[in-house]
Amino acid sequence: MSFQTTLRRARAPIRAAALASAPRSATFARAAFRRYSTEPEPPKKGNTALYIGLTAAALGVGAYFIYTSDESPLGVKATYVPTREDYQKVYNRIAEIIESASDAGYDDGSYGPVLLRLAWHSSGTYDEQTKTGGSNYATMRFNPESGHGANAGLDVARNLMEGVKKEFPWISYGDLWTLAGVAAIQEMAGPKVPWRPGRVDGFTENCTPDGRLPDAAQGADHVRAIFYRMGFNDQEIVALSGAHALGRCHTNRSGFDGPWTFSPTTVTNDYYKLLFEESWVWRKWNGPKQLQDKKTKSLMMLPTDYVLVQDKSFKKYAKAYADNQDLFFKDFAAAVARLFELGVPTNQFSEEPYTLKSTLD
Ligand code: HEM
C-alpha cells in the first residue's frame, strides 16, 4: 500500500466524523477540507522512507483534524498556503507544455486551444438558478461527465494537466484547469485575463447532467438558453465565441472538421472579420451540417457561429469586434474571467483577481 493510500485511509474516519458533526451543508463542509489541496509528495522508495511514512501517517491522523479543518479548535486551515509566485510557477510550466505540442506533432503546434476548451467546458456547466456546475469542483475528472459527448477529446488536455498536478500537488484541479485556460489565451498572444485561486476539488456526486454545454448544430434560441442559464448576456455570448479564432474541429471528437481561421494558435478578431468578409456556404460532405468559406474551402463555421451574423442583436456586437480588436480583447478578457469563476462561492476566494506574467511579455 502506498504512503498516500495509507494516509488517505487513516484520514477517512476522522474526515467522516468531522463531516457528520459539521453544522453546515455537507457539500460546503467537504469543500472546506480541500481549500488548498495538500497531498504530500510521494515518498522515496526504501524501508527508511516506509518507516518515516508510517510515522508521519500516524501523526497525520491526529494532526489532520487540527490543521486542515475549518472546525479545528485552533482555527488553522491548510498547512501550506501557496503564494502568487507559486501560481506563476505553475503557469510557466503550463506555458512550456503548450509549446511542447510542436515537438509532439500535435495539431497546429500548440496545446493552447484544447486547454482553453477544457477550462471552458469545466466552467460552462454552471446553472445560475440551482448554483450547480461551474469550475469549482472539476467534476469532468469523473464519470459520467468525462464521457459526455461535448467533452470528447478533452482527455488530451486533462492528461497533460495530470503531469502538472503531480509536480504541484497543492493546486486544486479547478484552479489548475482554469489557470491553463488563462495561460492558453495569454501564451497565444491574447489579452491578460485576471485570475485568482480558490476552487476546491469535488466528488462524483457533484457531476452535472449531460446537456448543459451548447450543441453546435442548433440556432440562436439554443445558444441564448445555454448562456443565459450561466448568467451571460448577448454581448458576452458574442465576445466568448471569439475563442473560435483558435483551434479546430476534429471529426473524431465533435464530428465537425477544420479550423475557423488561418491563424488557429493566435488570439485575434479574425473570427468576426471572416464571418463578415467571406461568403459562407454549406459544405457538401458526409458529416454534420457546417459551413465552409467559398473562396478557399479550408475554413469552417459551425451553425452556432453563423447565428452571430444572422441574429440582429448578436450581429451588432460581432460587427463591433470585427472592426475593433482592442474592444474584442477587452470584452473577451472580462467575459472569460467571469466564465472561469462560475460556480465558485466568493467566500472561497481570499483575494482580488490578478494577472500572471506571460512568457511573451
Ligand atoms: C455556442 C457556443 C459553442 C459551441 C457550440 C462550441 C462548439 C465547439 C466545437 C464543436 C468544437 C470542436 C471540438 C473538436 O472537434 O475538437 C469547439 C472547439 C473549440 N471551442 Fe468551442 N463552442 C462554443 C463556445 C466556445 C467558447 C465560449 C469557448 C471559449 C471561451 C470555446 C473554445 C473552443 C476552442 C478553443 C476550441 C478548439 C479546441 C481544439 O482545437 O482542440 N468554444 N467548440
Side-chain angles (χ1 to χ4, degrees), residues 113-114 117 120 214 216 243-244 247-250 253-254 260 302 304:
V114 77
R117 186 169 160 245
W120 134 241
H244 283 173
R248 56 175 57 245
C249 294
H250 305 78
R253 297 181 188 174
S254 61
W260 290 265
L302 299 163
T304 43

Side-chain angles (χ1 to χ4, degrees), residues 337-349:
R338 208 155 94 63
L339 173 70
F340 288 174
E341 292 198 355
L342 293 181
V344 191
T346 42
N347 63 6
Q348 275 181 218
F349 292 120

Side-chain angles (χ1 to χ4, degrees), residues 106-108 110-121 150 152-154 185 188 213-219 222-224 226-227 230 236-237 239-258 260 264 271 300 302-305 307-308 332 335-336 339-340:
Y106 178 82
D107 268 8
D108 304 291
S110 172
Y111 287 121
V114 77
L115 286 175
L116 175 55
R117 186 169 160 245
L118 172 66
W120 134 241
H121 278 210
L154 288 179
I185 292 169
M188 293 190 287
L213 292 164
D215 172 0
Q218 299 206 41
H222 169 76
V223 173
R224 283 204 172 88
I226 293 283
F227 282 90
M230 295 176 223
E236 290 168 308
I237 293 173
L240 287 169
S241 301
H244 283 173
L246 301 165
R248 56 175 57 245
C249 294
H250 305 78
T251 48
N252 59 351
R253 297 181 188 174
S254 61
F256 296 96
D257 176 43
W260 290 265
Y271 166 80
M300 67 92 61
L302 299 163
T304 43
D305 295 311
V307 300
L308 301 194
F332 181 62
V336 168
L339 173 70
F340 288 174

